[in-house]
Amino acid sequence: MYKLLIRPLLFLFNPEKAHKIALGALRVARYIPGARFLIRLCCKKRSKSLERELFGIKFPNPVGISAGLDKNGEYYNDLASLGFGFIEIGSLTPLPQSGNPAPRLFRLPKDRALINRMGINNTGVKAALNHLKKDNPRIIVGANITKNTTTPNSEAYKDYVRCVSLLYDFVDFFVLNVSCPNVKDLQQLQVGDMLSQIIDAVLEVRRYSEDSRPILLKVSPDITREQIDEIIHLCLINGIDGIVATNTTHSRDGLKTPEKQVEACGEGGLSGAPLFEKSLEMVKYIHEKSNGLLPIIASGGIMSPQQAAAMLDAGASLVEVYTGFIYEGPRFAKRIIRYLKKKARQ
Ligand SMILES: Cc1cc2nc3c(=O)[nH]c(=O)nc-3n(C[C@H](O)[C@H](O)[C@H](O)COP(=O)(O)O)c2cc1C
C-alpha cells in the first residue's frame, strides 16, 4: 500500500512538503479515537528476544529513528506507534535557527537516496523542552545537539553545555553532533582541542548531576583513519559512552542518477543506499579498533532488514534509519524486527 499508493502520492510534492504532510497525517491520528491503536496494530511488533540493555537503558528493540526526522521533538510519540525502539530528536541548538534557504532537500529515487543541506533548521532547545514537558515520551528519546551556526567554533562548547543542561532531566541520552556537513566548519569540531573542550565541558555537567545520562558522539563517514583513531582514543579515555556512525557523506561516487541531475542538487550530505558500504565499514572499524569497548549506533543507508542485520553483525549495538523509512514506509521497523527475530531463531 505504501509503495503502491502513498509513496507515489507523497513524491508528487517537494521533499520538504511531503515530510510535513506525512508527519501532519501522523499528528491527526492523535485526535481520532482508536487511530493510534490501529497504527500500532498494523506497524508495531513486540519481541522480547530483541530487547537489549545498553548504557543502563532497556531498549524494547534495536531499531531507532535517526536525527533530522523529528527535528523539534514534536512527533516522538506518534513515531513510537510505528514500532521503533528509540528516537533521536534534533539536531537541537540553543537558539532557534532557520537553516539554509530552500530548496535544500532532494530525492534521488534511482539511487534510493536523498541529498540535504537543511543546515540544522530547528525551533531551539527551549521549544523542544516544552514539548517534552507537555507530552511525556512513550519511547526512549535521545537528544541530538549541536551549536548554532552563528556561534564560532571556539565558543561551541558553550552551546553543547547549554543544550545538555536544559534537557538533562528530560531525555534518556545525548548525541553530540559534530559531523553535519551542511554547517560551515562544523566538522572541524570532530578532532583536536575543540573536540576535547566540548567533551570535557559536557562531561562536567554530567559529573554534577544525580543521574548519569549516556553521551555519544556522531561522526562523519568522510573522516580519515587517523581522525577516527583519534576520536576513538578520546572517547575511551574520557568516558564517552558510544559512537553514532555515521552522518551523511559528501561523496557522490557510484550514483546511478545522471550526473547533471546530481549536480543540480548542489551541495549537501548524501544519505540512503549509496552510503551503506561506507557506514558499514566505519562500524566494523570502530568495533575492531576499540576492541568492542565502544557501543555503536549504526546509521547510514540501512534500506532493508538484511542491511540492519549486517550492521548488528559488524558490531553495532543498535541501528537507526532515516532515508530507508522515507523509501520503505511506516512498516519498515516491523519488517526489520520480524527479520531479526527470525534470524535469531535460526
Ligand atoms: C533531511 C535530513 C536531515 C537530517 N538532519 C540531521 C540533523 O539535524 N542532525 C544529525 O545529526 N543528522 C541529521 N541527518 C542525518 C541522519 O540522521 C542520518 O545519520 C543520515 O541520513 C544517514 O542515515 P540514512 O541513510 O538512514 O538516512 C539528516 C538526514 C536527512 C536526510
Side-chain angles (χ1 to χ4, degrees), residues 240-297:
I240 284 289
D241 298 87
I243 292 190
V244 180
T246 65
N247 213 315
T248 54
T249 177
H250 279 298
S251 166
R252 300 289 189 262
D253 291 345
L255 295 181
K256 296 180 197 116
T257 307
E259 212 175 310
K260 269 205 169 143
Q261 202 183 322
V262 177
E263 270 170 19
C265 300
E267 287 188 356
L270 177 76
S271 59
L275 178 58
F276 178 72
E277 287 304 329
K278 222 173 176 174
S279 299
L280 180 67
E281 206 180 298
M282 183 71 96
V283 167
K284 268 188 201 151
Y285 185 78
I286 298 170
H287 182 65
E288 278 163 22
K289 191 80 190 178
S290 69
N291 292 320
L293 291 174
L294 264 181
I296 303 163
I297 301 183

Short mmCIF file of all heavy atoms in Angstrom, two decimals, residues 240-297:
data_model
loop_
_atom_site.label_atom_id
_atom_site.label_comp_id
_atom_site.label_asym_id
_atom_site.label_seq_id
_atom_site.Cartn_x
_atom_site.Cartn_y
_atom_site.Cartn_z
N ILE A 240 33.29 8.78 27.07
CA ILE A 240 32.13 8.95 26.16
C ILE A 240 31.53 7.56 25.96
O ILE A 240 32.24 6.57 25.80
CB ILE A 240 32.61 9.59 24.82
CG1 ILE A 240 32.87 11.07 25.01
CG2 ILE A 240 31.61 9.36 23.69
CD1 ILE A 240 31.65 11.95 25.20
N ASP A 241 30.20 7.48 25.99
CA ASP A 241 29.56 6.16 26.08
C ASP A 241 29.46 5.41 24.77
O ASP A 241 29.25 4.19 24.78
CB ASP A 241 28.16 6.33 26.67
CG ASP A 241 28.23 6.90 28.07
OD1 ASP A 241 28.28 8.13 28.21
OD2 ASP A 241 28.29 6.12 29.02
N GLY A 242 29.54 6.11 23.66
CA GLY A 242 29.41 5.39 22.40
C GLY A 242 29.50 6.32 21.22
O GLY A 242 29.64 7.54 21.37
N ILE A 243 29.42 5.71 20.03
CA ILE A 243 29.55 6.48 18.79
C ILE A 243 28.34 6.21 17.90
O ILE A 243 27.90 5.05 17.79
CB ILE A 243 30.87 6.12 18.06
CG1 ILE A 243 32.05 6.62 18.88
CG2 ILE A 243 30.90 6.68 16.65
CD1 ILE A 243 33.39 6.56 18.19
N VAL A 244 27.81 7.25 17.29
CA VAL A 244 26.80 7.06 16.25
C VAL A 244 27.54 7.17 14.92
O VAL A 244 28.14 8.20 14.59
CB VAL A 244 25.69 8.13 16.32
CG1 VAL A 244 24.66 7.91 15.20
CG2 VAL A 244 24.99 8.11 17.68
N ALA A 245 27.51 6.08 14.15
CA ALA A 245 28.27 6.03 12.89
C ALA A 245 27.31 5.57 11.79
O ALA A 245 26.87 4.43 11.83
CB ALA A 245 29.45 5.05 13.02
N THR A 246 26.97 6.46 10.90
CA THR A 246 27.57 7.74 10.58
C THR A 246 26.51 8.78 10.20
O THR A 246 25.35 8.44 10.01
CB THR A 246 28.51 7.63 9.35
OG1 THR A 246 27.70 7.30 8.20
CG2 THR A 246 29.57 6.60 9.53
N ASN A 247 26.99 10.00 9.98
CA ASN A 247 26.17 11.05 9.41
C ASN A 247 26.15 10.89 7.88
O ASN A 247 26.59 9.87 7.36
CB ASN A 247 26.78 12.42 9.81
CG ASN A 247 25.70 13.49 9.99
OD1 ASN A 247 24.80 13.60 9.17
ND2 ASN A 247 25.80 14.25 11.05
N THR A 248 25.68 11.88 7.15
CA THR A 248 25.64 11.82 5.68
C THR A 248 27.04 12.05 5.10
O THR A 248 27.94 12.51 5.80
CB THR A 248 24.69 12.90 5.13
OG1 THR A 248 25.08 14.17 5.65
CG2 THR A 248 23.25 12.62 5.54
N THR A 249 27.18 11.75 3.78
CA THR A 249 28.51 11.88 3.16
C THR A 249 28.54 12.98 2.09
O THR A 249 27.53 13.27 1.45
CB THR A 249 28.93 10.54 2.50
OG1 THR A 249 30.19 10.72 1.85
CG2 THR A 249 27.93 10.03 1.49
N HIS A 250 29.74 13.52 1.89
CA HIS A 250 29.97 14.49 0.81
C HIS A 250 30.09 13.76 -0.53
O HIS A 250 29.92 14.36 -1.58
CB HIS A 250 31.32 15.20 1.02
CG HIS A 250 31.26 16.33 2.01
ND1 HIS A 250 30.46 17.42 1.80
CD2 HIS A 250 31.88 16.52 3.19
CE1 HIS A 250 30.61 18.26 2.81
NE2 HIS A 250 31.47 17.73 3.67
N SER A 251 30.41 12.46 -0.46
CA SER A 251 30.75 11.72 -1.67
C SER A 251 29.56 11.58 -2.61
O SER A 251 28.41 11.46 -2.18
CB SER A 251 31.26 10.34 -1.26
OG SER A 251 31.28 9.50 -2.39
N ARG A 252 29.84 11.56 -3.91
CA ARG A 252 28.80 11.32 -4.92
C ARG A 252 29.22 10.12 -5.79
O ARG A 252 28.71 9.94 -6.89
CB ARG A 252 28.62 12.55 -5.83
CG ARG A 252 28.21 13.82 -5.09
CD ARG A 252 26.78 13.75 -4.58
NE ARG A 252 26.34 15.04 -4.07
CZ ARG A 252 26.34 15.38 -2.77
NH1 ARG A 252 26.76 14.52 -1.87
NH2 ARG A 252 25.91 16.56 -2.38
N ASP A 253 30.12 9.30 -5.26
CA ASP A 253 30.67 8.19 -6.04
C ASP A 253 29.61 7.13 -6.31
O ASP A 253 28.81 6.80 -5.43
CB ASP A 253 31.83 7.52 -5.30
CG ASP A 253 33.04 8.44 -5.22
OD1 ASP A 253 33.05 9.44 -5.97
OD2 ASP A 253 33.94 8.17 -4.39
N GLY A 254 29.67 6.59 -7.52
CA GLY A 254 28.89 5.39 -7.86
C GLY A 254 27.39 5.60 -7.98
O GLY A 254 26.63 4.63 -7.91
N LEU A 255 26.94 6.84 -8.17
CA LEU A 255 25.49 7.07 -8.26
C LEU A 255 24.97 6.67 -9.64
O LEU A 255 25.65 6.82 -10.66
CB LEU A 255 25.17 8.53 -7.98
CG LEU A 255 25.47 9.04 -6.57
CD1 LEU A 255 25.07 10.52 -6.43
CD2 LEU A 255 24.73 8.22 -5.53
N LYS A 256 23.72 6.16 -9.66
CA LYS A 256 23.08 5.80 -10.93
C LYS A 256 22.37 7.01 -11.55
O LYS A 256 22.12 7.06 -12.73
CB LYS A 256 22.04 4.70 -10.69
CG LYS A 256 22.64 3.40 -10.20
CD LYS A 256 21.53 2.37 -9.99
CE LYS A 256 22.06 1.24 -9.13
NZ LYS A 256 21.39 1.11 -7.85
N THR A 257 22.00 7.96 -10.71
CA THR A 257 21.33 9.18 -11.18
C THR A 257 22.27 9.94 -12.11
O THR A 257 23.46 10.08 -11.80
CB THR A 257 20.98 10.08 -9.96
OG1 THR A 257 20.28 9.27 -9.03
CG2 THR A 257 20.15 11.27 -10.35
N PRO A 258 21.75 10.43 -13.27
CA PRO A 258 22.61 11.18 -14.19
C PRO A 258 23.33 12.34 -13.50
O PRO A 258 22.73 13.02 -12.65
CB PRO A 258 21.63 11.70 -15.25
CG PRO A 258 20.44 10.80 -15.17
CD PRO A 258 20.37 10.27 -13.77
N GLU A 259 24.60 12.50 -13.89
CA GLU A 259 25.46 13.48 -13.23
C GLU A 259 24.84 14.88 -13.18
O GLU A 259 24.92 15.58 -12.17
CB GLU A 259 26.79 13.52 -13.99
CG GLU A 259 27.97 13.84 -13.11
CD GLU A 259 29.25 13.74 -13.89
OE1 GLU A 259 29.45 12.71 -14.57
OE2 GLU A 259 30.04 14.71 -13.82
N LYS A 260 24.19 15.26 -14.31
CA LYS A 260 23.61 16.62 -14.39
C LYS A 260 22.55 16.82 -13.30
O LYS A 260 22.48 17.88 -12.68
CB LYS A 260 22.96 16.82 -15.76
CG LYS A 260 23.89 17.39 -16.77
CD LYS A 260 23.12 18.12 -17.84
CE LYS A 260 24.13 18.91 -18.68
NZ LYS A 260 23.81 18.95 -20.05
N GLN A 261 21.76 15.76 -13.10
CA GLN A 261 20.68 15.84 -12.08
C GLN A 261 21.28 15.95 -10.67
O GLN A 261 20.78 16.68 -9.83
CB GLN A 261 19.82 14.59 -12.20
CG GLN A 261 18.43 14.75 -11.64
CD GLN A 261 17.66 13.44 -11.73
OE1 GLN A 261 17.78 12.70 -12.70
NE2 GLN A 261 16.89 13.13 -10.69
N VAL A 262 22.36 15.20 -10.46
CA VAL A 262 23.02 15.25 -9.14
C VAL A 262 23.62 16.63 -8.92
O VAL A 262 23.45 17.24 -7.86
CB VAL A 262 24.12 14.16 -9.03
CG1 VAL A 262 24.85 14.26 -7.70
CG2 VAL A 262 23.54 12.77 -9.22
N GLU A 263 24.27 17.13 -9.99
CA GLU A 263 24.90 18.47 -9.86
C GLU A 263 23.86 19.54 -9.58
O GLU A 263 24.10 20.48 -8.82
CB GLU A 263 25.65 18.80 -11.14
CG GLU A 263 27.09 18.34 -11.11
CD GLU A 263 27.76 18.45 -12.46
OE1 GLU A 263 27.26 19.20 -13.33
OE2 GLU A 263 28.78 17.76 -12.65
N ALA A 264 22.68 19.38 -10.17
CA ALA A 264 21.61 20.38 -9.98
C ALA A 264 21.17 20.47 -8.52
O ALA A 264 20.65 21.50 -8.09
CB ALA A 264 20.43 20.05 -10.87
N CYS A 265 21.37 19.40 -7.77
CA CYS A 265 21.00 19.44 -6.34
C CYS A 265 21.96 20.35 -5.57
O CYS A 265 21.61 20.86 -4.52
CB CYS A 265 21.07 18.04 -5.71
SG CYS A 265 19.97 16.85 -6.49
N GLY A 266 23.17 20.48 -6.06
CA GLY A 266 24.16 21.32 -5.38
C GLY A 266 24.79 20.60 -4.19
O GLY A 266 24.78 19.37 -4.12
N GLU A 267 25.28 21.40 -3.26
CA GLU A 267 25.99 20.82 -2.11
C GLU A 267 25.03 20.17 -1.13
O GLU A 267 23.84 20.47 -1.13
CB GLU A 267 26.76 21.92 -1.40
CG GLU A 267 27.96 22.36 -2.18
CD GLU A 267 28.84 23.30 -1.40
OE1 GLU A 267 28.48 23.67 -0.27
OE2 GLU A 267 29.89 23.65 -1.93
N GLY A 268 25.57 19.31 -0.30
CA GLY A 268 24.72 18.69 0.73
C GLY A 268 25.21 17.30 1.08
O GLY A 268 26.10 16.75 0.43
N GLY A 269 24.63 16.73 2.10
CA GLY A 269 25.01 15.39 2.55
C GLY A 269 24.13 14.35 1.87
O GLY A 269 22.90 14.50 1.79
N LEU A 270 24.77 13.32 1.38
CA LEU A 270 24.05 12.23 0.71
C LEU A 270 23.73 11.14 1.74
O LEU A 270 24.60 10.74 2.52
CB LEU A 270 24.95 11.67 -0.39
CG LEU A 270 24.43 10.46 -1.18
CD1 LEU A 270 23.36 10.90 -2.19
CD2 LEU A 270 25.56 9.76 -1.92
N SER A 271 22.48 10.68 1.71
CA SER A 271 22.07 9.59 2.62
C SER A 271 21.35 8.52 1.81
O SER A 271 21.04 8.72 0.64
CB SER A 271 21.12 10.14 3.69
OG SER A 271 19.98 10.71 3.09
N GLY A 272 21.12 7.39 2.44
CA GLY A 272 20.40 6.31 1.75
C GLY A 272 21.34 5.26 1.18
O GLY A 272 22.52 5.18 1.54
N ALA A 273 20.81 4.47 0.24
CA ALA A 273 21.51 3.27 -0.24
C ALA A 273 23.00 3.46 -0.55
O ALA A 273 23.82 2.63 -0.14
CB ALA A 273 20.77 2.70 -1.45
N PRO A 274 23.40 4.54 -1.27
CA PRO A 274 24.82 4.65 -1.62
C PRO A 274 25.75 4.81 -0.41
O PRO A 274 26.96 4.66 -0.54
CB PRO A 274 24.88 5.91 -2.49
CG PRO A 274 23.48 6.21 -2.87
CD PRO A 274 22.61 5.65 -1.80
N LEU A 275 25.18 5.12 0.74
CA LEU A 275 26.01 5.36 1.93
C LEU A 275 26.30 4.08 2.70
O LEU A 275 27.23 4.02 3.53
CB LEU A 275 25.26 6.37 2.82
CG LEU A 275 25.82 6.79 4.18
CD1 LEU A 275 27.20 7.41 4.03
CD2 LEU A 275 24.88 7.82 4.84
N PHE A 276 25.55 3.04 2.41
CA PHE A 276 25.58 1.86 3.28
C PHE A 276 26.99 1.27 3.47
O PHE A 276 27.43 1.07 4.61
CB PHE A 276 24.62 0.78 2.76
CG PHE A 276 24.67 -0.47 3.58
CD1 PHE A 276 24.11 -0.49 4.86
CD2 PHE A 276 25.31 -1.62 3.13
CE1 PHE A 276 24.17 -1.63 5.65
CE2 PHE A 276 25.37 -2.76 3.92
CZ PHE A 276 24.81 -2.76 5.18
N GLU A 277 27.69 0.99 2.37
CA GLU A 277 29.00 0.31 2.49
C GLU A 277 29.98 1.14 3.31
O GLU A 277 30.74 0.61 4.13
CB GLU A 277 29.59 0.01 1.10
CG GLU A 277 28.89 -1.13 0.37
CD GLU A 277 28.86 -2.46 1.15
OE1 GLU A 277 29.80 -2.73 1.92
OE2 GLU A 277 27.87 -3.22 0.98
N LYS A 278 29.95 2.44 3.09
CA LYS A 278 30.86 3.35 3.80
C LYS A 278 30.57 3.31 5.31
O LYS A 278 31.49 3.25 6.14
CB LYS A 278 30.62 4.77 3.27
CG LYS A 278 31.86 5.55 3.05
CD LYS A 278 31.57 6.87 2.38
CE LYS A 278 32.91 7.58 2.33
NZ LYS A 278 32.93 8.79 1.64
N SER A 279 29.29 3.35 5.67
CA SER A 279 28.92 3.35 7.09
C SER A 279 29.23 2.00 7.72
O SER A 279 29.71 1.92 8.86
CB SER A 279 27.44 3.66 7.27
OG SER A 279 27.15 4.92 6.76
N LEU A 280 28.96 0.94 6.95
CA LEU A 280 29.23 -0.42 7.46
C LEU A 280 30.73 -0.58 7.77
O LEU A 280 31.12 -1.10 8.82
CB LEU A 280 28.78 -1.46 6.43
CG LEU A 280 28.99 -2.92 6.80
CD1 LEU A 280 28.10 -3.34 7.97
CD2 LEU A 280 28.71 -3.85 5.60
N GLU A 281 31.54 -0.09 6.85
CA GLU A 281 33.00 -0.18 7.03
C GLU A 281 33.42 0.58 8.29
O GLU A 281 34.25 0.12 9.07
CB GLU A 281 33.66 0.45 5.81
CG GLU A 281 35.04 -0.09 5.52
CD GLU A 281 35.60 0.60 4.29
OE1 GLU A 281 35.00 0.44 3.21
OE2 GLU A 281 36.60 1.30 4.45
N MET A 282 32.80 1.74 8.49
CA MET A 282 33.13 2.55 9.67
C MET A 282 32.72 1.83 10.96
O MET A 282 33.47 1.82 11.94
CB MET A 282 32.41 3.90 9.55
CG MET A 282 32.72 4.85 10.67
SD MET A 282 34.39 5.49 10.57
CE MET A 282 34.11 7.03 9.73
N VAL A 283 31.55 1.22 10.94
CA VAL A 283 31.07 0.48 12.12
C VAL A 283 32.05 -0.65 12.45
O VAL A 283 32.47 -0.82 13.60
CB VAL A 283 29.63 -0.07 11.87
CG1 VAL A 283 29.23 -1.08 12.93
CG2 VAL A 283 28.63 1.09 11.83
N LYS A 284 32.43 -1.41 11.40
CA LYS A 284 33.38 -2.53 11.60
C LYS A 284 34.69 -2.01 12.19
O LYS A 284 35.24 -2.57 13.13
CB LYS A 284 33.71 -3.17 10.23
CG LYS A 284 32.81 -4.33 9.87
CD LYS A 284 33.36 -4.99 8.61
CE LYS A 284 32.24 -5.78 7.97
NZ LYS A 284 32.36 -5.92 6.53
N TYR A 285 35.19 -0.91 11.61
CA TYR A 285 36.48 -0.39 12.02
C TYR A 285 36.46 0.05 13.49
O TYR A 285 37.34 -0.29 14.28
CB TYR A 285 36.90 0.78 11.12
CG TYR A 285 38.29 1.27 11.42
CD1 TYR A 285 39.40 0.56 10.97
CD2 TYR A 285 38.50 2.40 12.20
CE1 TYR A 285 40.69 0.99 11.27
CE2 TYR A 285 39.77 2.84 12.51
CZ TYR A 285 40.87 2.13 12.05
OH TYR A 285 42.14 2.54 12.36
N ILE A 286 35.40 0.80 13.86
CA ILE A 286 35.32 1.31 15.24
C ILE A 286 35.21 0.14 16.22
O ILE A 286 35.85 0.12 17.28
CB ILE A 286 34.12 2.27 15.42
CG1 ILE A 286 34.28 3.49 14.53
CG2 ILE A 286 33.96 2.70 16.88
CD1 ILE A 286 33.04 4.39 14.43
N HIS A 287 34.42 -0.84 15.83
CA HIS A 287 34.22 -2.01 16.71
C HIS A 287 35.56 -2.74 16.94
O HIS A 287 35.92 -3.06 18.08
CB HIS A 287 33.20 -2.95 16.08
CG HIS A 287 32.88 -4.15 16.91
ND1 HIS A 287 32.26 -4.04 18.14
CD2 HIS A 287 33.13 -5.48 16.73
CE1 HIS A 287 32.12 -5.25 18.66
NE2 HIS A 287 32.65 -6.13 17.83
N GLU A 288 36.29 -2.94 15.84
CA GLU A 288 37.56 -3.68 15.97
C GLU A 288 38.60 -2.85 16.71
O GLU A 288 39.27 -3.32 17.62
CB GLU A 288 38.08 -4.07 14.58
CG GLU A 288 37.39 -5.33 14.08
CD GLU A 288 37.54 -5.53 12.59
OE1 GLU A 288 38.48 -4.97 12.00
OE2 GLU A 288 36.68 -6.26 12.02
N LYS A 289 38.72 -1.60 16.30
CA LYS A 289 39.77 -0.73 16.88
C LYS A 289 39.55 -0.50 18.38
O LYS A 289 40.50 -0.34 19.14
CB LYS A 289 39.75 0.61 16.13
CG LYS A 289 40.91 1.49 16.40
CD LYS A 289 42.13 1.08 15.59
CE LYS A 289 43.35 1.86 16.07
NZ LYS A 289 44.57 1.49 15.38
N SER A 290 38.28 -0.49 18.80
CA SER A 290 38.01 -0.23 20.22
C SER A 290 37.86 -1.54 21.01
O SER A 290 37.43 -1.53 22.16
CB SER A 290 36.74 0.62 20.38
OG SER A 290 35.60 -0.13 20.01
N ASN A 291 38.18 -2.64 20.35
CA ASN A 291 38.01 -3.97 20.96
C ASN A 291 36.60 -4.16 21.52
O ASN A 291 36.42 -4.76 22.58
CB ASN A 291 39.02 -4.19 22.09
CG ASN A 291 40.42 -4.29 21.53
OD1 ASN A 291 40.61 -4.91 20.48
ND2 ASN A 291 41.38 -3.67 22.19
N GLY A 292 35.65 -3.61 20.83
CA GLY A 292 34.25 -3.77 21.24
C GLY A 292 33.89 -2.98 22.49
O GLY A 292 32.82 -3.18 23.06
N LEU A 293 34.80 -2.08 22.92
CA LEU A 293 34.54 -1.35 24.18
C LEU A 293 33.63 -0.14 23.99
O LEU A 293 33.09 0.39 24.95
CB LEU A 293 35.86 -0.89 24.80
CG LEU A 293 36.76 -2.01 25.34
CD1 LEU A 293 38.09 -1.45 25.80
CD2 LEU A 293 36.06 -2.74 26.49
N LEU A 294 33.50 0.32 22.72
CA LEU A 294 32.65 1.49 22.46
C LEU A 294 31.37 1.05 21.78
O LEU A 294 31.40 0.66 20.61
CB LEU A 294 33.38 2.45 21.54
CG LEU A 294 34.16 3.60 22.11
CD1 LEU A 294 34.76 4.43 20.98
CD2 LEU A 294 33.31 4.49 23.00
N PRO A 295 30.25 1.10 22.48
CA PRO A 295 28.99 0.75 21.81
C PRO A 295 28.74 1.66 20.60
O PRO A 295 29.07 2.85 20.64
CB PRO A 295 27.94 0.99 22.89
CG PRO A 295 28.66 0.88 24.17
CD PRO A 295 30.04 1.40 23.90
N ILE A 296 28.21 1.07 19.54
CA ILE A 296 27.99 1.83 18.30
C ILE A 296 26.51 1.79 17.92
O ILE A 296 25.88 0.73 17.96
CB ILE A 296 28.80 1.20 17.13
CG1 ILE A 296 30.28 1.15 17.48
CG2 ILE A 296 28.58 1.97 15.83
CD1 ILE A 296 31.08 0.19 16.59
N ILE A 297 25.97 2.95 17.59
CA ILE A 297 24.65 3.00 16.96
C ILE A 297 24.90 3.22 15.47
O ILE A 297 25.49 4.24 15.08
CB ILE A 297 23.77 4.15 17.53
CG1 ILE A 297 23.58 3.98 19.05
CG2 ILE A 297 22.42 4.17 16.82
CD1 ILE A 297 22.67 5.04 19.69
#
